[in-house]
Amino acid sequence: MIRILCRSAAVALVFAGSVACAPAVRRAAIIDENVAVAVRQIGMLADSAETGGVIRIPSTYKNGAVEYVPVDDWVSGFFAGTLWYMYELTGDQTWAARAQRHTEILDSVQHLQWHHDVGFMIYDSYGNGLRLKHIPGYEDVIVQTARSLSTRFRPVPGVIQSWDADRGWQGTRGWQCPVIIDNMMNLELLFKATEFSGDSTFYNIAVSHADRTMQEHFRDDCSCFHVVDYDLSTGQVRGRCTAQGYADDSAWARGQAWAVYGFTTCYRYTGDRRYLDHARRVADFMLNDPNMPDDLVPYWDYDAPNIPDEPRDVSTAAVLASAFYEMYVHTDNELYKQTADRIVESLSSPAYRAAVGENGGFLLMHSVGSIPHGSNIDVPLNYADYYFLEALIRKQRIEAGEPLF
Ligand code: GLY
C-alpha cells in the first residue's frame, strides 16, 4: 500500500485520506506497511486492555495471555506512548482519545519517589500527549514528576539513585547507591521540566548525572557496566556489576542501547558535544563487536556464553534504531541512517514481526526482559513496540525533510 504523506502543522492527518492538502513526500512503503499491521495489532491489544470498561496496561504476552502491570511498574508508560505514536502515524483521532485515557490513569506516578523510572513512565505518556495535543495540565505533571525524581539525587556522588537499596531483590546485594545505565533515559524529563518551569535545578541534576555516568560506567572499549554502586558519604565508587546481564564484566545489550540513546538525548538538550561523541563510541562498540549478528538484532548480552544459541533482544534493536535516526540528524553521517533502516527492515520481517492476529496484539516478538531474574524471556515487550514505532516516525520525518523535534 502506498499513500501520499500529507502533514499539517498539528500533525493530524490522514490515514483514511480524508484531509486534502498538497502532496509532500511519498512515505516509504515499509512505514505504510508497518502502520497497516500496527493498526490491526495495537488496535486488538487496546481493545482487550479496555475490556469491561477498565483500563489495564499491557506489558507482554505469554502462554496465550496478555499480561498487565500496575501503574507503578517501570513499563507502565509505554503503552500510552505507543497509542500516541499510533495517533502520530495515522492522524486518526480515535488513537488520541485512547492514548489520553491510557495516559491519565498514570496520574499518581508524578508523586512516585521509590524508584527512578518515572522519567520513562511520564515522558513517554504525558510527554508525547503534550507534544501532540498540548493538553492543559500535562506540563504540570511533568514538572511534578521531575520534583519527585529529584528527591533521588545524591549530591555527594552527583547522581540520581536508581533503586532503593533496602527493598526487594535489590536489598540483597549490599548496595548503598546503585545507579543503572538505564537511568540515562530518565533525564529527558528533567531537561523538559526546566524548559517548562524555568527552574534550572532539574537541568543541573541531569547534567551532573550524565557526567558522572560517563566517567564511571564505561570500560576502555566503551561498553558499559549495568550497575555502579556509589558510597553516599564519600561519593566514591564501591563496585561495578550487573543485575540483568550475563556477568558483571559483560555487555548487557539493552544497557548499551540505553547508553547510546540516553547520551544522544543529552546532546540534544545541552549541545555538549562530549555526549554525542560518547554515544558514537558506544554505538561503535555495539556495531563492531563480532557478536553483533548480521541482521543487527543483538543477542541479549554480547558476552552470553552460548552465542549463537542465545535469545535475541528485539527491544535493544528497536531502541538502537530510534537512537541511530537521531544520531544521523546530529552528525549527517549516513551510516547511522543506513544502519537504522537495516534494523527496521529486520524487525519488519516475519522473523521478528508477528503475523496479524497473533502475539496477543503486540507487534514484535523475541525480546528479553531479564534472564538472571527468569523474567520475560523471548517474548513481546511493550517497550520494543514503543521504540519501533518511534523509529518509524523518525524515519518518516527524516525522509520528508522535517525536523525530528
Ligand atoms: N530498565 C529496565 C530494563 O531495561 O530492563
Side-chain angles (χ1 to χ4, degrees):
M1 179 181 65
I2 297 177
R3 286 185 291 105
I4 300 296
L5 171 66
C6 122
R7 180 172 282 278
S8 76
V11 188
L13 49 132
V14 209
F15 193 62
S18 58
V19 176
C21 67
V25 174
R26 198 172 287 275
R27 186 157 82 172
I30 195 167
I31 301 177
D32 276 339
E33 197 253 336
N34 271 301
V35 171
V37 172
V39 164
R40 296 180 62 189
Q41 287 292 92
I42 305 297
M44 179 167 106
L45 190 52
D47 286 346
S48 66
E50 295 194 31
T51 308
V54 178
I55 297 177
R56 295 177 294 170
I57 305 165
S59 61
T60 184
Y61 176 73
K62 277 185 279 187
N63 305 318
V66 175
E67 294 191 357
Y68 300 93
V69 291
V71 293
D72 60 359
D73 191 284
W74 83 274
V75 305
S76 68
F78 291 115
F79 191 63
T82 294
L83 297 171
W84 284 120
Y85 286 157
M86 288 305 297
Y87 167 59
E88 190 165 8
L89 283 159
T90 65
D92 180 342
Q93 298 295 334
T94 313
W95 291 109
R98 278 176 160 157
Q100 187 166 352
R101 288 197 294 276
H102 278 264
T103 292
E104 292 174 9
I105 57 164
L106 300 172
D107 178 65
S108 61
V109 174
Q110 63 188 298
H111 303 293
L112 193 159
Q113 297 182 1
W114 62 268
H115 65 70
H116 67 144
D117 285 315
V118 291
F120 277 112
M121 297 152 82
I122 291 297
Y123 202 70
D124 299 345
S125 53
Y126 283 88
N128 278 308
L130 185 63
R131 182 175 62 83
L132 293 167
K133 280 290 200 183
H134 313 288
I135 298 171
Y138 280 22
E139 267 191 29
D140 296 340
V141 172
I142 288 168
V143 173
Q144 175 53 46
T145 309
R147 283 191 203 106
S148 298
L149 183 55
S150 301
T151 65
R152 302 188 67 80
F153 183 63
R154 308 292 177 244
V156 178
V159 292
I160 299 163
Q161 181 168 344
S162 295
W163 295 324
D164 288 353
D166 61 354
R167 63 157 80 206
W169 63 267
Q170 292 96 335
T172 65
R173 299 289 297 260
W175 291 324
Q176 258 187 39
C177 176
V179 173
I180 61 175
I181 190 64
D182 323 30
N183 207 338
M184 289 299 301
M185 300 295 287
N186 291 309
L187 305 185
E188 180 163 18
L189 175 124
L190 295 176
F191 288 123
K192 275 288 173 200
T194 286
E195 272 178 36
F196 296 152
S197 67
D199 182 348
S200 59
T201 311
F202 308 126
Y203 181 103
N204 292 337
I205 287 174
V207 166
S208 172
H209 184 92
D211 285 350
R212 191 79 204 262
T213 299
M214 191 159 61
Q215 192 185 327
E216 305 294 0
H217 258 82
F218 293 86
R219 310 180 181 104
D220 289 346
D221 63 1
C222 229
S223 68
C224 67
F225 291 93
H226 183 201
V227 185
V228 175
D229 183 34
Y230 294 91
D231 186 306
L232 283 168
S233 47
T234 67
Q236 297 301 304
V237 171
R238 298 178 71 232
R240 296 180 174 88
C241 58
T242 198
Q244 286 169 247
Y246 166 63
D248 289 345
D249 58 357
S250 72
W252 172 54
R254 194 164 52 253
Q256 316 306 304
W258 291 144
V260 173
Y261 190 119
F263 280 103
T264 304
T265 305
C266 281
Y267 171 71
R268 185 187 344 139
Y269 283 95
T270 63
D272 186 336
R273 193 83 199 176
R274 290 175 311 133
Y275 297 139
L276 184 59
D277 291 343
H278 194 70
R280 294 181 77 167
R281 284 192 290 271
V282 185
D284 284 348
F285 164 78
M286 295 190 79
L287 293 175
N288 297 328
D289 188 273
N291 281 338
M292 177 61 124
D294 288 344
D295 67 3
L296 301 178
V297 179
Y299 295 98
W300 70 280
D301 190 302
Y302 276 73
D303 302 298
N306 300 312
I307 290 173
D309 298 321
E310 293 279 355
R312 304 293 189 94
D313 179 28
V314 158
S315 74
T316 294
V319 172
L320 259 194
S322 186
F324 283 168
Y325 284 125
E326 177 167 4
M327 287 172 78
Y328 164 70
V329 164
H330 296 317
T331 61
D332 265 338
N333 184 338
E334 285 289 338
L335 171 75
Y336 295 119
K337 168 78 167 53
Q338 287 161 4
T339 308
D341 284 347
R342 280 177 56 205
I343 297 173
V344 165
E345 273 169 39
S346 291
L347 297 185
S348 306
S349 76
Y352 299 109
R353 197 185 68 199
V356 170
E358 296 183 1
N359 210 32
F362 290 91
L363 263 183
L364 300 175
M365 308 178 282
H366 304 313
S367 287
V368 168
S370 179
I371 286 187
H373 297 91
S375 156
N376 291 341
I377 301 166
D378 195 15
V379 292
L381 289 171
N382 64 5
Y383 43 101
D385 286 3
Y386 174 85
Y387 288 104
F388 181 58
L389 294 181
E390 183 179 88
L392 295 180
I393 289 167
R394 290 179 174 192
K395 175 176 169 60
Q396 173 178 313
R397 286 181 174 274
I398 288 168
E399 291 173 359
E402 294 173 355
L404 276 200
F405 304 102

